[in-house]
Amino acid sequence: MIKRKQSFHSNHLKLFALPFIGSLKELSNEIRISERLLFDFSKFQDSFYKTYEISKKSGGKRMISQPCRKLKAVQAWILHNILYKIKSSEYSQGFDLGNSISKNAQVHIGNNCVLNLDIKNYFNTIDFKRVYKLFLKIGYNYEASYILAKLCTYKDCLPQGAPTSSKLANLISWNLDLRIAGYASKRGFNYTRYADDITISGYIPHSLRKAIPKIFGIINNEGFNINHKKTRVQDLSGKRSVTGLVLYDETYGIGHDNKRKLRAKIYNFLTKEECHTDKEQMELNGWYSYLNNVDKKRLRQLSTFASKLLLSENSLKRLSIKFSDKPKKIVHQPKTTLSND
């Protein structure tokens, strides 16, 4: 019985081209870190994490648990050699190779109404037991699954700050995605999830609102909670937004209000006499990079606007950023006080 079960584990790992790890010693040999240090990482976790708070864009505080350099390297190894080799559900659009907020928005273009939901305390809800069961399901034995789960969790949950947390959350949310997508598709709705942000879109607002209790039930049944303050249905009477991007009939972008506010920031940056702060410069660089990924039309418009302001030699000397169509690539929306419409 034991041999047959071990054979299943081996075949499963071979199928996904995953490293064969059955014990702490084998993991130590794979990563080339001492068994003692790996044991300490899993046993005395408080000694290897730095915890601090950051402000949320929506208000309140978010707790960040940052692993030390060596533990983070171990987690990065697990991410690249195990977790990235397993595909998340097709409905998961965040924090995975090849995914982005642009891809998330594209699914909902053309629909008349959008339902936005937020999973409350997403990472904190995913405890050690769920991570342990995931590694078992992947194909690792009890000992290896226990060690891997211990290395990827802190205080019985996924730490926001560990490189493995987002991918683990996506894999653990696989069944949630399939259940909501199955329910939605039968009713002509489109479904995506970007980390803890759930988006469902359709043509008839009344039908979408009617489906909310059932969707809530699925989310709760899968072991997650809903942040009811962020639940909203958007239709043609107002803006329809998906993870910060505004939907139009055939495209998406940052929205008219954000364009106007960003235009004002560019004007102030280029025309004021006093020296610019590094924060102002970095914010504009971030926005131009962001626009290059999600809204090239407004990038061209704002680049043209900026160029027209650069008429005097003094303005040219003061300018230290380049308004081009090919800035550095970023994936996530930059921190700013602009609204999302």
Side-chain angles (χ1 to χ4, degrees):
M1 188 75 171
I2 294 175
K3 288 183 178 180
R4 188 163 63 243
K5 191 165 190 177
Q6 186 62 46
S7 175
F8 165 78
H9 281 265
S10 299
N11 290 334
H12 217 186
L13 296 177
K14 189 180 295 184
L15 178 65
F16 291 106
L18 299 175
F20 289 84
I21 300 167
S23 65
L24 180 63
K25 182 177 180 179
E26 290 178 0
L27 178 61
S28 172
N29 291 335
E30 284 283 347
I31 305 180
R32 298 184 179 180
I33 290 181
S34 71
E35 290 182 58
R36 180 64 197 183
L37 186 55
L38 289 175
F39 175 81
D40 288 346
F41 284 157
S42 62
K43 185 69 174 178
F44 309 108
Q45 295 180 320
D46 286 337
S47 301
F48 302 102
Y49 279 90
K50 178 184 177 182
T51 302
Y52 55 92
E53 291 182 337
I54 61 172
S55 298
K56 292 182 180 181
K57 182 181 176 182
S58 57
K61 299 290 183 180
R62 174 177 284 111
M63 185 68 70
I64 302 297
S65 297
Q66 186 74 36
C68 71
R69 182 176 58 83
K70 287 186 178 180
L71 175 54
K72 192 172 184 178
V74 171
Q75 293 168 341
W77 186 93
I78 295 171
L79 177 66
H80 290 280
N81 291 278
I82 298 177
L83 301 178
Y84 271 161
K85 292 184 179 181
I86 305 169
K87 188 178 180 182
S88 304
S89 80
E90 62 183 290
Y91 308 101
S92 173
Q93 301 294 346
F95 304 103
D96 235 319
L97 297 175
N99 288 341
S100 66
I101 60 172
S102 297
K103 198 173 177 183
N104 190 44
Q106 287 172 3
V107 176
H108 304 283
I109 291 174
N111 284 342
N112 294 333
C113 51
V114 175
L115 168 63
N116 297 118
L117 302 173
D118 181 81
I119 300 176
K120 187 177 182 180
N121 297 324
Y122 183 48
F123 290 100
N124 291 341
T125 303
I126 300 174
D127 59 13
F128 167 82
K129 186 177 180 180
R130 296 175 82 168
V131 178
Y132 170 67
K133 286 183 176 180
L134 174 68
F135 282 114
L136 283 175
K137 190 174 182 180
I138 289 172
Y140 288 102
N141 64 19
Y142 296 116
E143 182 179 347
S145 296
Y146 180 87
I147 297 165
L148 291 168
K150 273 293 185 180
L151 291 170
C152 294
T153 56
Y154 176 56
K155 293 188 174 178
D156 197 34
C157 68
L158 292 179
Q160 294 193 60
T164 46
S165 292
S166 295
K167 179 63 177 180
L168 282 169
N170 280 341
L171 293 175
I172 289 169
S173 301
W174 182 289
N175 202 51
L176 171 73
D177 292 338
L178 292 188
R179 289 185 65 186
I180 296 180
Y183 176 81
S185 63
K186 291 178 182 178
R187 288 152 183 81
F189 304 148
N190 292 339
Y191 164 76
T192 59
R193 179 183 55 79
Y194 189 93
D196 56 354
D197 290 320
I198 288 175
T199 304
I200 303 170
S201 62
Y203 291 101
I204 305 173
H206 173 72
S207 298
L208 201 54
R209 289 189 177 93
K210 190 176 179 181
I212 290 177
K214 178 63 177 178
I215 295 168
F216 280 2
I218 294 173
I219 294 171
N220 290 328
N221 187 252
E222 286 297 320
F224 296 102
N225 299 310
I226 301 151
N227 186 348
H228 293 281
K229 293 180 180 179
K230 293 187 177 181
T231 299
R232 64 185 187 276
V233 176
Q234 306 166 100
D235 55 32
L236 293 175
S237 63
K239 68 173 183 178
R240 293 158 294 152
S241 62
V242 178
T243 48
L245 296 176
V246 179
L247 299 180
Y248 303 103
D249 290 338
E250 297 180 354
T251 187
Y252 57 86
I254 63 170
H256 299 299
D257 287 348
N258 274 340
K259 179 191 171 183
R260 285 196 297 268
K261 292 177 181 179
L262 185 53
R263 180 185 169 106
K265 283 182 176 289
I266 294 170
Y267 179 84
N268 291 333
F269 184 86
L270 295 178
T271 57
K272 72 178 186 179
E273 294 294 332
E274 60 269 23
C275 294
H276 308 296
T277 64
D278 290 340
K279 183 179 179 181
E280 290 175 315
Q281 182 171 318
M282 289 177 64
E283 183 180 358
L284 279 181
N285 274 327
W287 269 101
Y288 270 76
S289 298
Y290 177 63
L291 286 171
N292 187 58
N293 286 285
V294 303
D295 199 341
K296 285 184 170 59
K297 178 181 177 180
R298 285 183 173 81
L299 172 65
R300 291 191 295 269
Q301 293 172 347
L302 291 169
S303 295
T304 300
F305 170 72
S307 298
K308 290 180 179 178
L309 291 176
L310 300 178
L311 300 178
S312 68
E313 185 176 349
N314 289 335
S315 292
L316 285 170
K317 288 180 180 179
R318 287 202 303 270
L319 183 64
S320 58
I321 60 173
K322 296 180 180 179
F323 299 104
S324 65
D325 286 349
K326 294 183 178 180
K328 292 180 180 179
K329 184 178 180 181
I330 62 170
V331 177
H332 306 297
Q333 187 173 7
K335 295 180 180 178
T336 178
T337 56
L338 300 186
S339 64
N340 287 326
D341 47 324

